[in-house]
Amino acid sequence: RAEMSLKKRGKRREGGALPQSEQPLFSFPNAWLKVPVVPFQFPEVVPLNIGGAHFTTRLSTLRRYEDTMLAAMFSGRHFIPTDSEGRYFIDRDGTHFGDVLNFLRSGDLPPRERVRAVYKEAQYYAIGPLLEQLENMQPLKGEKVRQAFLGLMPYYKDHLERIVEIARLRAVQRKARFAKLKVCVFKEEMPITPYECPLLNSLRFERSESDGQLFEHHCEVDVSFGPWEAVADVYDLLHCLVTDLSAQGLTVDHQCIGVCDKHLINHYYCKRPIYEFKITWWALASPTFHQPSLLEGLSSQGCNADFRGSF
């Protein structure tokens, strides 16, 4: 038997193929990898279930722009699950999907109050033409201009986060509903004296590098913003601060409480404006008082009269 097995092994090596009795039941040649996959055929009218919201549209509408997520999903190359009613399901909030469909159908754009929300949906579905048109609408168009201004501000986002963190720590330490902090906002790094205030807009100081070090200092505040070179002034930056802090759900109040009076050199003083920011972490609900009706008042008086008579 040992000799016969050796002879069989020799035959395998010489012939290069197994005998038919020893060949596997199933063989997987490499040719099957090259067989073209037939794309899935979607119906002309496509029922959709977007996060529980039902829509119906034509297949050509979903494929209107080739380089979009919807066109790729409904190209037939991908599997899309269906719900119990046979609607193609996309696990996404469908609140603003109708605005996306209206753009794909006829190029309609959403009203201003829904521009930001529809813009997020256009980003998710990668609809470039819709993104471009929404970016030219308010409030996104104005936001682009605002961000261009804030791009000139060094460390704006870092300082904004610092304001929130300082306000949070102080509120926690004091067990208070709000916290106050000092913020310096200055556009031009230009020291002045009281005599030079009327000529503030026309003054330019020429100083050497050694003299410049004498003018550099840090105001006694929590956070400083500036300087910057742009048409936008201090009040524009203050508005940006309030807008971005309010977007985080905070109530923000601010007022100018004076200027920095630090003496720099000779007759030069800092004179940068200092603002007090009040950050409120939660708002108090207005109390509601129940005003008793005339009958309730009479009944209560009668009860009191009865009690007084019984004692």
Side-chain angles (χ1 to χ4, degrees):
R1 292 180 181 177
E3 292 178 358
M4 292 177 63
S5 61
L6 290 174
K7 291 179 180 180
K8 288 183 179 181
R9 291 180 185 176
K11 290 181 180 180
R12 292 181 190 176
R13 293 175 182 174
E14 293 175 0
L18 292 173
Q20 186 175 2
S21 60
E22 297 185 17
Q23 289 184 356
L25 296 178
F26 301 97
S27 60
F28 298 91
N30 295 331
W32 74 276
L33 296 174
K34 301 180 181 179
V35 175
V37 179
V38 178
F40 179 79
Q41 297 296 326
F42 287 96
E44 183 60 29
V45 178
V46 182
L48 299 171
N49 181 347
I50 313 297
H54 295 173
F55 300 90
T56 303
T57 186
R58 299 188 63 178
L59 181 62
S60 58
T61 300
L62 299 174
R63 296 177 176 177
R64 182 171 299 276
Y65 298 103
E66 295 181 357
D67 297 331
T68 64
M69 178 179 173
L70 290 173
M73 292 177 65
F74 291 91
S75 63
R77 302 189 304 268
H78 305 279
F79 170 76
I80 303 177
T82 57
D83 60 11
S84 59
E85 299 178 357
R87 295 179 175 272
Y88 296 99
F89 179 75
I90 298 177
D91 193 10
R92 178 77 175 177
D93 186 6
T95 303
H96 302 286
F97 189 76
D99 292 314
V100 174
L101 274 184
N102 289 334
F103 175 79
L104 296 177
R105 287 166 176 159
S106 55
D108 294 341
L109 296 174
R112 178 174 178 174
E113 60 270 15
R114 296 205 300 267
V115 167
R116 291 184 183 273
V118 177
Y119 187 80
K120 292 182 179 180
E121 298 305 304
Q123 287 180 316
Y124 177 79
Y125 294 109
I127 306 176
L130 179 56
L131 290 173
E132 293 177 0
Q133 295 200 37
L134 291 177
E135 289 174 354
N136 290 324
M137 295 179 59
Q138 291 287 19
L140 295 182
K141 189 173 183 178
E143 181 63 18
K144 290 178 63 177
V145 177
R146 192 177 79 96
Q147 291 299 329
F149 161 58
L150 294 179
L152 302 175
M153 191 64 50
Y155 310 109
Y156 174 80
K157 292 184 178 180
D158 295 338
H159 291 345
L160 191 70
E161 294 177 358
R162 179 171 172 79
I163 289 177
V164 176
E165 184 63 18
I166 292 175
R168 185 188 66 82
L169 292 176
R170 290 181 181 174
V172 170
Q173 291 173 355
R174 297 177 59 247
K175 307 298 188 292
R177 186 171 58 93
F178 61 87
K180 296 181 179 180
L181 62 159
K182 295 180 180 180
V183 178
C184 179
V185 180
F186 63 100
K187 180 179 180 180
E188 297 180 359
E189 192 173 9
M190 184 170 58
I192 62 174
T193 65
Y195 303 101
E196 295 165 334
C197 287
L199 303 177
L200 177 61
N201 294 331
S202 61
L203 283 178
R204 291 294 180 272
F205 292 88
E206 297 180 358
R207 54 181 184 267
S208 60
E209 295 182 0
S210 59
D211 293 337
Q213 296 178 355
L214 298 175
F215 291 101
E216 294 178 357
H217 78 288
H218 298 283
C219 302
E220 296 181 359
V221 295
D222 298 299
V223 183
S224 294
F225 292 88
W228 67 87
E229 295 182 2
V231 177
D233 56 15
V234 171
Y235 298 102
D236 295 321
L237 182 59
L238 290 172
H239 182 271
C240 291
L241 291 173
V242 174
T243 299
D244 292 334
L245 291 172
S246 300
Q248 301 184 31
L250 302 174
T251 302
V252 185
D253 298 307
H254 69 280
Q255 61 177 347
C256 183
I257 59 175
V259 296
C260 178
D261 289 326
K262 185 174 182 179
H263 178 257
L264 301 180
I265 182 175
N266 296 334
H267 299 289
Y268 295 110
Y269 294 82
C270 175
K271 299 303 179 182
R272 295 173 180 171
I274 298 177
Y275 296 85
E276 181 184 70
F277 272 64
K278 179 181 177 182
I279 309 296
T280 304
W281 289 96
W282 76 87
L284 291 178
S286 57
T288 56
F289 299 97
H290 174 67
Q291 295 182 354
S293 63
L294 179 60
L295 293 178
E296 291 176 345
L298 291 176
S299 63
S300 62
Q301 291 178 3
C303 291
N304 293 334
D306 293 339
F307 277 116
R308 286 195 299 269
S310 61
F311 286 99

